[in-house]
């Protein structure tokens, strides 16, 4: 099994902001393919810029399915 480590504190490192079907966000090294179950948001930037994007856009930490269940909505 191949493993790779990344220096998330390196100011020159580039990352992608990714999102899953539950509308949960994460960052992923820009030079690696996005793992299954995740989609790119189009943001490709420094870790600080990716973190700022996530903080601005991920305002409800609950998974989408839980939000819908608690709000009485049904999945489309």
């Amino acid at each position: 099994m191949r493993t790779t480590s990344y220096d998330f504190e390196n100011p020159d490192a580039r990352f992608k902001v990714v999102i899953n079907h539950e509308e949960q966000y994460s960052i992923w090294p820009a030079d690696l393919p996005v793992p299954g179950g995740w989609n790119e948001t189009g943001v490709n930037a420094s870790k600080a810029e990716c973190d700022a994007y996530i903080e601005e856009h991920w305002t409800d930490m609950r998974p989408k399915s839980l939000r819908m269940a608690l709000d009485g909505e049904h999945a489309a």
Side-chain angles (χ1 to χ4, degrees):
M1 172 185 259
R2 179 179 160 235
T3 60
T4 304
S5 63
Y6 287 87
D7 181 1
F8 284 82
E9 302 307 318
N10 179 346
D12 296 326
R14 302 297 286 180
F15 298 92
K16 303 172 190 177
V17 176
V18 294
I19 188 169
N20 66 17
H21 72 282
E22 288 283 3
E23 296 180 355
Q24 298 168 310
Y25 289 83
S26 189
I27 64 171
W28 191 253
D31 61 338
L32 292 181
V34 175
W38 294 87
N39 295 299
E40 294 186 41
T41 62
V43 176
N44 185 326
S46 69
K47 182 179 181 299
E49 292 169 308
C50 289
D51 287 343
Y53 177 89
I54 290 172
E55 186 171 333
E56 179 182 342
H57 290 87
W58 194 10
T59 57
D60 190 337
M61 301 297 284
R62 299 173 299 167
K64 181 180 180 180
S65 58
L66 177 61
R67 292 192 318 263
M68 293 177 71
L70 293 176
D71 294 340
E73 298 178 24
H74 299 284

